[in-house]
């Protein structure tokens, strides 16, 4: 069995934590908050660290293995927790991703499906792009016969402000290869992911 591991790192722009903290302080002050009060004094620093964490994916090793047994059925990881930041309001959106593939010559270490989700979620995003980026990346790096990604998420920009549609969830999907072209395979993926009318 051949094991391949590729180190995956996210290119990051130059960051300035001190400037981010100063900007957070100016932002909060401009909104009328008194950051000299004991309860808010550390908020700019905490805010800068929180956004840095939300916008920074962790590096990981993409580990794949020979598909020695010729496994050709669906591999699916359901309900991978997802958290990202809407690029329009910089408010979080949270939910789950269902990610699956039909193996070709190689199979993937299962935890890596969650790592790929994090790789693209930890940046300023829109859910539609995020869904497609995960699917396209797996298709490129794994070369499976098919890939399916469904994301269900609640967007704070919809629930906390504007329309205030509390409890609403947005569902996006991307299907590639056999999961796009073959209706039975697509239906199998969606049923296994428990997506659709309940």
């Amino acid at each position: 069995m051949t094991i391949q591991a590729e180190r995956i790192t996210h290119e990051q722009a130059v960051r300035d934590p001190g400037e981010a903290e100063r900007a957070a302080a100016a932002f909060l002050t401009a909104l009328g908050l008194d950051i000299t009060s004991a309860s808010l004094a550390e908020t700019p620093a905490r805010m800068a660290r929180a956004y840095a964490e939300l916008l920074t994916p962790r590096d990981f090793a993409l580990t794949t293995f020979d598909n020695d047994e010729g496994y050709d059925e669906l591999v699916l990881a359901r309900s991978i927790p997802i958290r990202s930041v809407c690029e329009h309001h910089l408010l979080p959106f949270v939910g789950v991703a269902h990610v699956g593939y039909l193996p070709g010559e190689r199979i993937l270490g299962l935890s890596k499906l969650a790592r790929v989700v994090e790789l693209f979620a930890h940046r300023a995003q829109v859910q539609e792009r995020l869904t497609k980026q995960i699917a396209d990346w797996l298709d490129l790096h794994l070369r499976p016969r098919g890939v399916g990604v469904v994301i269900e998420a609640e967007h704070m920009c919809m629930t906390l402000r504007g329309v205030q549609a509390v409890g609403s969830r947005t569902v996006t999907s991307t299907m590639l290869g056999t999961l796009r072209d073959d209706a039975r395979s697509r239906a199998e993926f969606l049923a296994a992911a428990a997506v659709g009318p309940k």
Side-chain angles (χ1 to χ4, degrees):
M1 172 181 282
T2 304
I3 300 173
Q4 294 178 351
E6 176 185 355
R7 192 75 189 152
I8 305 300
T9 59
H10 175 65
E11 289 186 31
Q12 296 182 26
V14 176
R15 295 191 173 180
D16 186 339
E19 183 58 31
E21 183 178 338
R22 285 186 292 280
F27 175 73
L28 294 172
T29 300
L31 291 175
L33 279 72
D34 177 11
I35 61 169
T36 63
S37 73
S39 60
L40 290 174
E42 296 299 316
T43 297
R46 286 191 296 261
M47 194 171 147
R49 286 193 305 271
Y51 273 99
E53 181 180 333
L54 285 169
L55 298 171
T56 307
R58 294 173 289 184
D59 296 345
F60 68 97
L62 179 70
T63 309
T64 64
F65 308 89
D66 291 334
N67 188 3
D68 290 335
E69 303 300 318
Y71 185 80
D72 63 358
E73 296 293 329
L74 183 65
V75 176
L76 173 69
R78 285 179 38 190
S79 301
I80 298 169
I82 193 167
R83 62 176 193 220
S84 192
V85 178
C86 166
E87 69 181 25
H88 300 138
H89 298 94
L90 282 189
L91 290 171
F93 62 94
V94 295
V96 294
H98 313 294
V99 182
Y101 71 99
L102 291 168
E105 294 180 7
R106 305 206 52 79
I107 56 176
L108 185 66
L110 292 176
S111 68
K112 305 314 178 200
L113 292 172
R115 294 285 192 190
V116 173
V117 169
E118 179 185 302
L119 176 67
F120 291 102
H122 280 234
R123 56 184 77 178
Q125 267 295 11
V126 295
Q127 186 173 327
E128 298 88 342
R129 182 191 316 123
L130 172 60
T131 307
K132 186 158 176 18
Q133 285 176 332
I134 294 166
D136 287 345
W137 196 92
L138 287 169
D139 192 48
L140 176 67
H141 285 81
L142 195 54
R143 302 201 190 290
R145 292 179 299 116
V147 175
V149 177
V150 174
I151 295 177
E152 303 176 73
E154 182 174 356
H155 291 250
M156 300 304 117
C157 59
M158 280 182 61
T159 61
L160 296 179
R161 54 156 303 281
V163 71
Q164 298 182 12
V166 176
S168 67
R169 294 176 71 80
T170 301
V171 179
T172 52
S173 68
T174 297
M175 306 292 169
L176 302 174
T178 302
L179 292 178
R180 180 181 186 95
D181 300 334
D182 182 72
R184 289 178 299 167
S185 295
R186 183 184 185 98
E188 178 189 0
F189 171 81
L190 292 172
V195 175
K198 309 266 190 292

